[in-house]
Amino acid sequence: EDQVTQSPEALRLQEGESSSLNCSYTVSGLRGLFWYRQDPGKGPEFLFTLYSAGEEKEKERLKATLTKKESFLHITAPKPEDSATYLCAVERSAGGGNKLTFGTGTQLKVEL
Amino acid sequence: DAGVTQSPTHLIKTRGQQVTLRCSPKSGHDTVSWYQQALGQGPQFIFQYYEEEERQRGNFPDRFSGHQFPNYSSELNVNALLLGDSALYLCASQALNTEAFFGQGTRLTVV
């Protein structure tokens, strides 16, 4: 069974204090690893897809990287508006369909 | 582009009742998936519809059923509601094998 574990569960940063969120995964044949941002009471907002080990993607203050066992979401000089829950999900390549298996998320709070 | 739209946004039902949730996919998307998200948890896959057929199903009982219409919109039906069905229900749409985009969700409370 596919498994996704995210750490830490919660993270409190000062504005400008860079850090990384971790996503460890176990999947039988990875088609893609996805990062989403979720604000309270809202649906997840797509951030990145990573397909193979060594791949990196950037968007503003966020950078996602992928190895064969884990992914990191690096946040550089965060601002209060980056406060949200960050979700990681995997999709397997076999079996048809596009089922996403999610972790429980990292709740990020950025303070002034 | 309106993105993925879900209705209603909030709903309160009594144990034992039935509920229908609706989803209109993003323009150009033909695949719709439904997820259940309990408080403090990640979304859990319920099922996916493609070409009006259930393509894949997660570990949810038969009380959860769905439908996809020719215009790609979808419904999620839950029968015999339990207190434990209280959650945020998310609809996601995609073109096959591309990234999924989520709606804002329907908050279901069962009392």
Side-chain angles (χ1 to χ4, degrees):
Chain A
E1 188 174 327
D2 303 339
Q3 275 198 307
V4 177
T5 304
Q6 292 188 245
S7 62
E9 290 184 7
L11 182 62
R12 186 168 275 185
L13 299 173
Q14 296 295 311
E15 185 177 13
E17 180 187 1
S18 301
S19 188
S20 295
L21 314 183
N22 178 264
C23 171
S24 298
Y25 64 91
T26 303
V27 62
S28 179
L30 177 73
R31 189 189 85 80
L33 184 140
F34 302 81
W35 282 99
Y36 287 86
R37 169 195 169 124
Q38 187 173 29
D39 292 303
K42 303 286 181 67
E45 175 189 345
F46 171 75
L47 294 173
F48 302 109
T49 309
L50 301 166
Y51 293 104
S52 57
E55 189 175 1
E56 299 182 351
K57 288 194 176 170
E58 287 188 66
K59 179 181 178 179
E60 297 180 358
R61 295 177 293 282
L62 301 177
K63 178 181 175 179
T65 62
L66 181 65
T67 73
K68 288 187 177 179
K69 293 183 178 180
E70 57 191 349
S71 177
F72 293 94
L73 185 65
H74 307 278
I75 303 177
T76 303
K79 298 182 178 182
E81 53 262 42
D82 294 322
S83 298
T85 295
Y86 291 84
L87 295 165
C88 171
V90 296
E91 181 183 323
R92 62 163 58 186
S93 57
N98 302 106
K99 169 189 171 183
L100 292 175
T101 300
F102 281 87
T104 54
T106 293
Q107 191 172 350
L108 174 65
K109 172 82 172 172
V110 182
E111 299 172 330
L112 290 169
Chain B
D1 184 2
V4 181
T5 58
Q6 293 186 242
S7 62
T9 54
H10 295 85
L11 202 51
I12 300 175
K13 289 287 190 178
T14 305
R15 273 182 301 176
Q17 284 190 315
Q18 179 264 344
V19 68
T20 298
L21 310 182
R22 295 177 176 83
C23 173
S24 292
K26 186 177 167 69
S27 178
H29 288 179
D30 57 6
T31 301
V32 173
S33 303
W34 287 92
Y35 290 80
Q36 179 195 68
Q37 187 176 25
L39 209 58
Q41 300 297 312
Q44 297 291 313
F45 177 78
I46 303 175
F47 42 54
Q48 183 181 83
Y49 278 85
Y50 173 67
E51 293 187 341
E52 301 179 51
E53 297 283 334
E54 185 183 287
R55 188 163 182 256
Q56 198 175 15
R57 188 178 181 94
N59 295 325
F60 279 81
D62 292 344
R63 297 187 298 109
F64 290 77
S65 64
H67 188 78
Q68 186 179 33
F69 299 94
N71 67 352
Y72 308 120
S73 66
S74 177
E75 289 182 350
L76 165 65
N77 301 293
V78 187
N79 294 323
L81 284 166
L82 304 174
L83 295 179
D85 294 331
S86 295
L88 181 68
Y89 287 85
L90 296 163
C91 171
S93 76
Q94 65 199 114
L96 203 58
N97 293 332
T98 65
E99 58 270 11
F101 287 84
F102 285 80
Q104 294 301 287
T106 293
R107 171 68 63 188
L108 173 64
T109 303
V110 183
V111 297

